[in-house]
Amino acid sequence: MSIFQYEKDQDGIVTVTMNMTGPVNAMNAEYYDAMHETIAKLEAEQGLTGVVIASAKKVFFAGGDLNDLLAAKREDAADFFVSGEAMKADLRRLEKLPVPVVAAINGAALGGGYEICLSCNHRVAFNHKTVQIGLPECSLGLYPGAGGVVRLSKLIGVEKALPLILEGKRLTPEKALAAGLIDQTVESLDELVPAAKSFILESKGNEDAAVQPWDKKGFRIPGGAINTPRNAQLAVMAPTMLHQKTRGLMPQMTAAMDVAFQASMLDVDTALRIEGREFAKVATGPVAKNMISAFFFQLNQINGGASRPKNVEKQLTRKVGILGAGMMGQGIAYVSAMAGIEVVLKDISLEAAKKGKSYTEKLLAKRVARGRMDEAKAKGILDLIHASDKNEDLQGCDLIIEAVFENIGLKHNITKEIEPYLSEDGFWGSNTSTLPITQLAEASAKPENFIGIHFFSPVDKMPLVEIICGEKTSDEALAKAFDYTMQIRKTPIVVNDSLGFFTSRTFGTYLDEAAQLLTEGTHPKRIDNLGKAIGMPVGPLQIQDETSLELSRKAQETWAEMGVTDKWGNGDVIRRVIKDMITDNGRGGRHHGGGYYEYHEDGSKNIWPPLYDLYYNADYEISDQDIKDRLMFRQVIETMKCLETGVLRSVADANIGSIFGIGAPAHTGGFVQFVNTYGFDNFIQRCEELEAKFGERFACPDIVKERAESGELFA
Ligand code: NAD
């Protein structure tokens, strides 16, 4: 039986039901053949009155086959273009059939799936939350190259199509209808194909119903072509804004915008060819590989539980105790309650605990105001949080997360005092950002049940949780922490214990290198601008202000107390800066009245002027490339050391952890993938240059040299 079922009814309507081998329909070799054959059959069909494209799978059609796309090599770009054109020619033949073609969208139609729909004359979708419609390719380093950019631009106009394409928006059927992506919705699956057929029957005698807008005589693109005077502003502003957002590091987005602009001025066939040619470049380029690896394969690997012990049954957290209702505790309470978990939020006073609970109240009120939640549901969630100052309320918690001040003595005392309130097989998680879990667990009567659960600020927005196993942490505790993280809909990476774990330690190198550059005499704005130019979300000095210099000072103090000062490298420079900034000038960071920057009430900021007197040297010469590489290589090298020493347990954890937890530039695919793409020999050579010029902190880790020998990529 063909994988595209072909059924003609008494009215002359053929329903093509896509039912490919495997769990989903996807654009691969099997699809090309099936579609090619089907089109030929439709063209030859006698008495044909219309075509319905339907799906036998839960998902209407999943899009391009990412395994194929990942394998496509730069040197094969020309062949890639040719085969792409053949596939697109079939879709063009589909839309040129002399009868109406209707897409019956029963499930998600994203990317290639929606591009098939765009090649139909009419689109009907089942109005259900499982049905998502859109073109998310840009988020994987690609763009809609099977006609998506051209057809959507011509269908709804460039100005409306571009945000959907560049941001990769996934719309519900209702929103897709409002935005003009589909034409009709039905309320049940049973109505879907009949509705598609009704459209065909009602269109009898109306030849227009079988012709795409762009194939009609005198077609004008909605909103006009990009070179018309009314679009002058769009033509100038859109590329500028895109560059500001992506810093030119996302070639797929630049190309998509260019293709959309050209599509607005050219006939459909020429535009489709340009779309295909650019796509061959983008899809065979490094950014597509990096982003597909990280955001599809590695993220799925992590969320699929690759780092979770297999021998432990899934455990749901029902009651969680949170100690400390400060910045972190209040956020952890919110995300836990949102997942339906009962929360006891404890602080030293009831007032402080209630203040922490009010954070959830504020976030819920915002949701209600925006129409994203009803009042009853919001109240139900808020009621799950019990603000308290009494240990007894923690009785029976199956998980307690400690988020009090970063002080080892305090954390030890609290563990001893409160651990007995855990349920019989309960677990203890510490949200410490720097203290080693093994050492914290020394205060515990059951160190096997003790684990690090490291959240990022702001907890409600940051998608990552770093789970840290101490020396004695059991598989059960790890599984529990993993399951809890998934329960609150965050992505867990699992690392082994070390001072600063993976994320804090690596992030610290970004700040440290900025301090080095600053004290050498580099202009502070230049440091921040070049930090952003490599794709980091925020410049290093600014982010140091946000997380606070004060925090770095405290960390230095704690490490001194623990006797681990400079365990990972020389901290003289950062200590000098802390002394200059905090001790001598009281500049502890943004929330301490200002740091490297001065912050004004109107939201503006500028470099704190005395900073120039402290460090700036107009005669200091250093190239932009050296600054950029120093900021990037420090973080990459630290990540490699974590991988080498087993702090990181997998490449997927390293890449996803670096992007979601540290802000590693998405186009690199993460700090480990950066080395794969840079090339081992090139990386070693650049490390040697940086080491010779700027110091041994740039020495290339052995693990890279070993891979250079074997040629095996990090995967
Ligand atoms: P915070 O100062 O905002 O809050 C700490 C809270 O703990 C305060 O409300 C305090 O009253 C309370 N507290 C102190 N002693 C207590 C006790 N004996 N019992 C109950 N509550 C007590 O601090 P924070 O920024 O929320 O940080 C908390 C922990 O999370 C620290 O270990 C920190 O290193 C870690 N962390 C912070 C961040 C961040 O970005 N701020 C990120 C990850 C982890």
Short mmCIF file of all heavy atoms in Angstrom, two decimals, residues 322-330 332 346-349 352-353 388 391 402-407 410-411 413-414 417-418 430-435 453-459 504 546-547 551 554, ligand 1:
data_model
loop_
_atom_site.label_atom_id
_atom_site.label_comp_id
_atom_site.label_asym_id
_atom_site.label_seq_id
_atom_site.Cartn_x
_atom_site.Cartn_y
_atom_site.Cartn_z
N ILE A 322 10.27 25.06 50.93
CA ILE A 322 11.31 25.96 50.41
C ILE A 322 11.78 26.84 51.56
O ILE A 322 10.98 27.54 52.20
CB ILE A 322 10.76 26.81 49.24
CG1 ILE A 322 10.37 25.87 48.08
CG2 ILE A 322 11.80 27.82 48.76
CD1 ILE A 322 9.52 26.51 47.02
N LEU A 323 13.07 26.80 51.83
CA LEU A 323 13.63 27.56 52.95
C LEU A 323 14.29 28.81 52.41
O LEU A 323 15.22 28.73 51.61
CB LEU A 323 14.67 26.71 53.70
CG LEU A 323 14.17 25.34 54.13
CD1 LEU A 323 15.28 24.57 54.83
CD2 LEU A 323 12.96 25.47 55.04
N GLY A 324 13.79 29.96 52.87
CA GLY A 324 14.28 31.23 52.35
C GLY A 324 13.30 31.72 51.29
O GLY A 324 13.14 31.08 50.25
N ALA A 325 12.63 32.83 51.60
CA ALA A 325 11.62 33.35 50.65
C ALA A 325 12.17 34.59 49.96
O ALA A 325 11.46 35.53 49.66
CB ALA A 325 10.33 33.67 51.39
N GLY A 326 13.49 34.59 49.71
CA GLY A 326 14.13 35.73 49.04
C GLY A 326 13.93 35.64 47.53
O GLY A 326 12.99 35.00 47.05
N MET A 327 14.85 36.29 46.84
CA MET A 327 14.73 36.36 45.38
C MET A 327 14.54 34.97 44.74
O MET A 327 13.69 34.78 43.89
CB MET A 327 16.00 37.00 44.85
CG MET A 327 15.97 37.29 43.41
SD MET A 327 17.23 38.53 43.10
CE MET A 327 18.39 37.59 42.17
N MET A 328 15.34 34.00 45.18
CA MET A 328 15.27 32.68 44.56
C MET A 328 14.10 31.86 45.12
O MET A 328 13.34 31.26 44.36
CB MET A 328 16.58 31.92 44.78
CG MET A 328 17.79 32.56 44.16
SD MET A 328 17.60 32.92 42.41
CE MET A 328 17.76 31.29 41.71
N GLY A 329 13.96 31.85 46.45
CA GLY A 329 12.91 31.03 47.08
C GLY A 329 11.53 31.40 46.56
O GLY A 329 10.70 30.52 46.27
N GLN A 330 11.28 32.69 46.40
CA GLN A 330 9.94 33.09 45.95
C GLN A 330 9.67 32.61 44.51
O GLN A 330 8.56 32.21 44.19
CB GLN A 330 9.77 34.60 46.06
CG GLN A 330 10.75 35.41 45.21
CD GLN A 330 10.66 36.91 45.47
OE1 GLN A 330 10.02 37.36 46.40
NE2 GLN A 330 11.32 37.69 44.63
N ILE A 332 11.06 29.91 43.13
CA ILE A 332 10.92 28.44 43.16
C ILE A 332 9.51 28.07 43.64
O ILE A 332 8.89 27.13 43.15
CB ILE A 332 12.01 27.81 44.06
CG1 ILE A 332 13.41 28.20 43.56
CG2 ILE A 332 11.88 26.29 44.08
CD1 ILE A 332 14.55 27.85 44.51
N LYS A 346 9.09 28.93 53.71
CA LYS A 346 9.47 29.33 55.07
C LYS A 346 10.61 30.33 55.08
O LYS A 346 11.59 30.18 54.35
CB LYS A 346 9.87 28.09 55.87
CG LYS A 346 10.17 28.45 57.29
CD LYS A 346 10.62 27.30 58.14
CE LYS A 346 11.00 27.86 59.51
NZ LYS A 346 12.41 28.04 59.70
N ASP A 347 10.46 31.35 55.92
CA ASP A 347 11.56 32.30 56.12
C ASP A 347 11.67 32.54 57.62
O ASP A 347 10.93 31.93 58.41
CB ASP A 347 11.29 33.61 55.34
CG ASP A 347 12.61 34.29 54.96
OD1 ASP A 347 13.36 34.67 55.89
OD2 ASP A 347 12.91 34.42 53.76
N ILE A 348 12.61 33.42 58.03
CA ILE A 348 12.80 33.60 59.48
C ILE A 348 11.62 34.30 60.13
O ILE A 348 11.36 34.09 61.30
CB ILE A 348 14.11 34.35 59.84
CG1 ILE A 348 14.54 35.26 58.71
CG2 ILE A 348 15.21 33.38 60.22
CD1 ILE A 348 15.86 35.93 58.93
N SER A 349 10.89 35.11 59.41
CA SER A 349 9.68 35.71 59.97
C SER A 349 8.52 35.43 59.03
O SER A 349 8.71 35.22 57.82
CB SER A 349 9.86 37.22 60.12
OG SER A 349 9.87 37.82 58.84
N ALA A 352 8.37 37.94 56.23
CA ALA A 352 9.26 37.69 55.09
C ALA A 352 8.70 36.59 54.20
O ALA A 352 8.76 36.66 52.97
CB ALA A 352 10.65 37.30 55.59
N ALA A 353 8.12 35.56 54.83
CA ALA A 353 7.56 34.45 54.05
C ALA A 353 6.38 34.94 53.22
O ALA A 353 6.23 34.57 52.05
CB ALA A 353 7.13 33.32 54.99
N SER A 388 5.13 30.49 55.89
CA SER A 388 5.27 30.04 57.28
C SER A 388 6.61 30.46 57.89
O SER A 388 7.58 30.73 57.18
CB SER A 388 5.16 28.50 57.31
OG SER A 388 5.58 28.00 58.55
N ASN A 391 8.95 25.41 61.64
CA ASN A 391 9.50 24.16 61.09
C ASN A 391 8.44 23.07 60.97
O ASN A 391 8.46 22.29 60.03
CB ASN A 391 10.63 23.64 62.01
CG ASN A 391 11.87 24.51 61.90
OD1 ASN A 391 11.96 25.35 61.01
ND2 ASN A 391 12.81 24.32 62.81
N GLU A 402 16.60 24.26 49.92
CA GLU A 402 17.14 25.32 50.77
C GLU A 402 17.65 26.44 49.87
O GLU A 402 18.43 26.19 48.95
CB GLU A 402 18.22 24.69 51.66
CG GLU A 402 19.14 25.62 52.36
CD GLU A 402 20.27 26.08 51.45
OE1 GLU A 402 21.04 25.24 50.95
OE2 GLU A 402 20.34 27.31 51.25
N ALA A 403 17.15 27.67 50.11
CA ALA A 403 17.59 28.84 49.32
C ALA A 403 17.83 30.02 50.26
O ALA A 403 17.32 31.12 50.04
CB ALA A 403 16.54 29.19 48.26
N VAL A 404 18.59 29.77 51.34
CA VAL A 404 18.93 30.85 52.28
C VAL A 404 20.25 31.48 51.83
O VAL A 404 20.81 31.10 50.81
CB VAL A 404 19.02 30.34 53.74
CG1 VAL A 404 17.70 29.71 54.16
CG2 VAL A 404 20.16 29.34 53.91
N PHE A 405 20.74 32.44 52.63
CA PHE A 405 21.97 33.14 52.22
C PHE A 405 23.10 32.15 51.91
O PHE A 405 23.18 31.06 52.48
CB PHE A 405 22.47 34.07 53.34
CG PHE A 405 21.44 35.09 53.78
CD1 PHE A 405 21.15 35.25 55.13
CD2 PHE A 405 20.79 35.88 52.85
CE1 PHE A 405 20.22 36.20 55.54
CE2 PHE A 405 19.86 36.82 53.26
CZ PHE A 405 19.56 36.98 54.60
N GLU A 406 24.00 32.59 51.03
CA GLU A 406 25.11 31.74 50.60
C GLU A 406 26.19 31.69 51.70
O GLU A 406 27.22 32.35 51.60
CB GLU A 406 25.67 32.29 49.28
CG GLU A 406 26.70 31.42 48.59
CD GLU A 406 26.09 30.27 47.82
OE1 GLU A 406 24.96 29.88 48.09
OE2 GLU A 406 26.79 29.74 46.94
N ASN A 407 25.91 30.92 52.72
CA ASN A 407 26.85 30.85 53.84
C ASN A 407 26.88 29.41 54.34
O ASN A 407 25.84 28.84 54.72
CB ASN A 407 26.36 31.81 54.94
CG ASN A 407 27.23 31.76 56.17
OD1 ASN A 407 27.42 30.71 56.78
ND2 ASN A 407 27.78 32.91 56.53
N LEU A 410 25.57 28.66 57.97
CA LEU A 410 24.11 28.78 58.04
C LEU A 410 23.45 27.57 57.37
O LEU A 410 22.53 26.96 57.92
CB LEU A 410 23.67 30.08 57.35
CG LEU A 410 22.17 30.28 57.21
CD1 LEU A 410 21.52 30.48 58.58
CD2 LEU A 410 21.85 31.49 56.32
N LYS A 411 23.96 27.20 56.22
CA LYS A 411 23.35 26.09 55.49
C LYS A 411 23.51 24.78 56.28
O LYS A 411 22.60 23.96 56.32
CB LYS A 411 23.94 25.98 54.07
CG LYS A 411 23.44 27.12 53.15
CD LYS A 411 23.87 26.95 51.71
CE LYS A 411 23.73 28.21 50.88
NZ LYS A 411 22.49 28.43 50.17
N ASN A 413 23.72 24.49 59.57
CA ASN A 413 22.81 24.52 60.72
C ASN A 413 21.39 24.19 60.30
O ASN A 413 20.68 23.43 60.97
CB ASN A 413 22.82 25.92 61.38
CG ASN A 413 24.12 26.12 62.13
OD1 ASN A 413 24.81 25.14 62.46
ND2 ASN A 413 24.47 27.37 62.39
N ILE A 414 20.98 24.79 59.21
CA ILE A 414 19.61 24.59 58.75
C ILE A 414 19.37 23.14 58.37
O ILE A 414 18.32 22.56 58.65
CB ILE A 414 19.35 25.52 57.55
CG1 ILE A 414 19.19 26.93 58.08
CG2 ILE A 414 18.16 25.08 56.74
CD1 ILE A 414 18.52 27.85 57.16
N GLU A 417 18.90 21.12 61.49
CA GLU A 417 17.68 21.47 62.21
C GLU A 417 16.43 20.98 61.47
O GLU A 417 15.47 20.52 62.10
CB GLU A 417 17.65 23.00 62.35
CG GLU A 417 16.48 23.55 63.13
CD GLU A 417 16.43 25.08 63.00
OE1 GLU A 417 17.48 25.72 62.81
OE2 GLU A 417 15.31 25.62 63.07
N ILE A 418 16.44 21.05 60.18
CA ILE A 418 15.17 20.86 59.46
C ILE A 418 15.04 19.50 58.77
O ILE A 418 13.95 19.02 58.52
CB ILE A 418 14.96 22.04 58.47
CG1 ILE A 418 14.81 23.30 59.31
CG2 ILE A 418 13.75 21.84 57.58
CD1 ILE A 418 14.59 24.55 58.55
N SER A 430 19.85 21.66 47.70
CA SER A 430 20.37 23.00 48.00
C SER A 430 20.45 23.80 46.72
O SER A 430 20.92 23.31 45.69
CB SER A 430 21.76 22.89 48.63
OG SER A 430 22.27 24.22 48.77
N ASN A 431 20.00 25.05 46.81
CA ASN A 431 20.06 25.95 45.65
C ASN A 431 21.33 26.80 45.67
O ASN A 431 21.40 27.86 45.07
CB ASN A 431 18.81 26.83 45.62
CG ASN A 431 18.80 27.79 44.44
OD1 ASN A 431 19.09 27.39 43.32
ND2 ASN A 431 18.50 29.05 44.69
N THR A 432 22.34 26.32 46.37
CA THR A 432 23.60 27.09 46.41
C THR A 432 24.11 27.34 44.99
O THR A 432 23.94 26.50 44.11
CB THR A 432 24.68 26.33 47.21
OG1 THR A 432 25.90 27.06 47.09
CG2 THR A 432 24.91 24.92 46.66
N SER A 433 24.73 28.51 44.79
CA SER A 433 25.26 28.72 43.44
C SER A 433 26.75 28.42 43.35
O SER A 433 27.30 28.32 42.26
CB SER A 433 24.98 30.15 42.96
OG SER A 433 25.12 31.07 43.98
N THR A 434 27.42 28.27 44.49
CA THR A 434 28.86 28.04 44.42
C THR A 434 29.41 26.97 45.38
O THR A 434 30.47 26.42 45.13
CB THR A 434 29.64 29.34 44.74
OG1 THR A 434 29.11 29.88 45.95
CG2 THR A 434 29.52 30.36 43.64
N LEU A 435 28.69 26.71 46.48
CA LEU A 435 29.30 25.85 47.51
C LEU A 435 29.24 24.37 47.11
O LEU A 435 28.20 23.91 46.64
CB LEU A 435 28.57 26.05 48.84
CG LEU A 435 28.57 27.50 49.34
CD1 LEU A 435 27.62 27.68 50.52
CD2 LEU A 435 29.98 27.92 49.73
N ILE A 453 20.24 21.53 43.63
CA ILE A 453 19.23 21.88 42.62
C ILE A 453 19.39 23.37 42.36
O ILE A 453 18.86 24.20 43.08
CB ILE A 453 17.79 21.54 43.10
CG1 ILE A 453 17.70 20.08 43.55
CG2 ILE A 453 16.78 21.82 42.00
CD1 ILE A 453 16.30 19.64 44.00
N HIS A 454 20.19 23.67 41.37
CA HIS A 454 20.61 25.05 41.14
C HIS A 454 19.72 25.74 40.10
O HIS A 454 19.74 25.38 38.92
CB HIS A 454 22.08 25.03 40.66
CG HIS A 454 22.66 26.37 40.38
ND1 HIS A 454 23.71 26.55 39.51
CD2 HIS A 454 22.35 27.60 40.83
CE1 HIS A 454 24.02 27.84 39.45
NE2 HIS A 454 23.20 28.49 40.23
N PHE A 455 18.95 26.70 40.58
CA PHE A 455 18.06 27.48 39.70
C PHE A 455 18.80 28.72 39.21
O PHE A 455 19.83 29.11 39.76
CB PHE A 455 16.83 27.94 40.48
CG PHE A 455 15.84 26.84 40.75
CD1 PHE A 455 15.98 26.00 41.83
CD2 PHE A 455 14.75 26.67 39.92
CE1 PHE A 455 15.08 24.99 42.08
CE2 PHE A 455 13.84 25.66 40.15
CZ PHE A 455 13.99 24.83 41.24
N PHE A 456 18.22 29.36 38.20
CA PHE A 456 18.79 30.60 37.66
C PHE A 456 17.79 31.72 37.83
O PHE A 456 16.58 31.49 37.86
CB PHE A 456 19.18 30.40 36.19
CG PHE A 456 20.25 29.37 36.03
CD1 PHE A 456 19.95 28.01 36.06
CD2 PHE A 456 21.58 29.75 35.91
CE1 PHE A 456 20.94 27.05 35.97
CE2 PHE A 456 22.58 28.80 35.81
CZ PHE A 456 22.26 27.45 35.84
N SER A 457 18.30 32.92 37.92
CA SER A 457 17.44 34.07 38.19
C SER A 457 17.13 34.84 36.90
O SER A 457 18.04 35.04 36.09
CB SER A 457 18.18 34.98 39.18
OG SER A 457 17.45 36.15 39.39
N PRO A 458 15.90 35.28 36.65
CA PRO A 458 14.69 35.05 37.43
C PRO A 458 14.11 33.65 37.17
O PRO A 458 14.01 33.22 36.01
CB PRO A 458 13.71 36.12 36.91
CG PRO A 458 14.20 36.48 35.56
CD PRO A 458 15.67 36.19 35.51
N VAL A 459 13.76 32.98 38.27
CA VAL A 459 13.39 31.56 38.19
C VAL A 459 12.21 31.32 37.25
O VAL A 459 12.18 30.33 36.52
CB VAL A 459 13.06 31.03 39.60
CG1 VAL A 459 12.62 29.58 39.53
CG2 VAL A 459 14.26 31.17 40.52
N SER A 504 28.24 28.28 37.05
CA SER A 504 28.77 29.44 37.77
C SER A 504 30.26 29.60 37.48
O SER A 504 30.77 30.71 37.31
CB SER A 504 28.58 29.29 39.29
OG SER A 504 27.23 29.14 39.59
N GLU A 546 24.66 43.59 37.19
CA GLU A 546 23.33 43.04 37.48
C GLU A 546 23.42 41.96 38.55
O GLU A 546 22.64 41.93 39.49
CB GLU A 546 22.70 42.42 36.22
CG GLU A 546 22.50 43.37 35.07
CD GLU A 546 21.32 44.32 35.25
OE1 GLU A 546 20.48 44.06 36.12
OE2 GLU A 546 21.26 45.33 34.52
N THR A 547 24.34 41.01 38.37
CA THR A 547 24.45 39.93 39.36
C THR A 547 25.14 40.45 40.62
O THR A 547 25.11 39.79 41.64
CB THR A 547 25.26 38.73 38.82
OG1 THR A 547 26.54 39.21 38.43
CG2 THR A 547 24.60 38.08 37.66
N LEU A 551 28.25 40.21 45.15
CA LEU A 551 28.16 38.75 45.20
C LEU A 551 29.54 38.13 44.95
O LEU A 551 29.93 37.16 45.60
CB LEU A 551 27.18 38.28 44.12
CG LEU A 551 26.53 36.93 44.35
CD1 LEU A 551 25.51 37.00 45.47
CD2 LEU A 551 25.82 36.48 43.05
N LYS A 554 31.50 38.42 48.10
CA LYS A 554 31.11 37.41 49.09
C LYS A 554 31.67 36.04 48.72
O LYS A 554 32.12 35.29 49.58
CB LYS A 554 29.58 37.33 49.17
CG LYS A 554 28.99 38.42 50.04
CD LYS A 554 27.60 38.01 50.50
CE LYS A 554 26.88 39.19 51.13
NZ LYS A 554 25.55 39.40 50.60
P1 NAD B 1 18.14 36.43 49.24
O1 NAD B 1 19.02 37.18 50.13
O2 NAD B 1 17.26 37.17 48.28
O3 NAD B 1 17.18 35.49 50.10
C1 NAD B 1 17.60 34.68 51.14
C2 NAD B 1 16.43 34.51 52.07
O4 NAD B 1 16.75 33.53 53.04
C3 NAD B 1 16.06 35.78 52.85
O5 NAD B 1 14.68 36.06 52.66
C4 NAD B 1 16.36 35.40 54.29
O6 NAD B 1 15.48 36.03 55.21
C5 NAD B 1 16.17 33.92 54.25
N1 NAD B 1 16.78 33.23 55.38
C6 NAD B 1 17.98 33.47 55.96
N2 NAD B 1 18.16 32.61 56.99
C7 NAD B 1 17.08 31.82 57.04
C8 NAD B 1 16.67 30.77 57.87
N3 NAD B 1 17.43 30.37 58.90
N4 NAD B 1 15.49 30.16 57.62
C9 NAD B 1 14.72 30.56 56.60
N5 NAD B 1 15.04 31.57 55.80
C10 NAD B 1 16.20 32.19 56.01
O7 NAD B 1 19.08 35.41 48.47
P2 NAD B 1 18.87 34.68 47.07
O8 NAD B 1 19.43 35.52 46.00
O9 NAD B 1 17.46 34.23 46.98
O10 NAD B 1 19.83 33.42 47.20
C11 NAD B 1 19.51 32.30 47.96
C12 NAD B 1 20.41 31.15 47.61
O11 NAD B 1 20.28 30.89 46.21
C13 NAD B 1 21.89 31.41 47.84
O12 NAD B 1 22.51 30.21 48.24
C14 NAD B 1 22.40 31.82 46.47
O13 NAD B 1 23.75 31.58 46.29
C15 NAD B 1 21.55 30.94 45.59
N6 NAD B 1 21.37 31.40 44.22
C16 NAD B 1 21.20 32.72 43.93
C17 NAD B 1 21.03 33.13 42.62
C18 NAD B 1 20.81 34.57 42.29
O14 NAD B 1 20.90 34.95 41.10
N7 NAD B 1 20.48 35.41 43.23
C19 NAD B 1 21.05 32.18 41.59
C20 NAD B 1 21.20 30.83 41.91
C21 NAD B 1 21.36 30.46 43.23
#
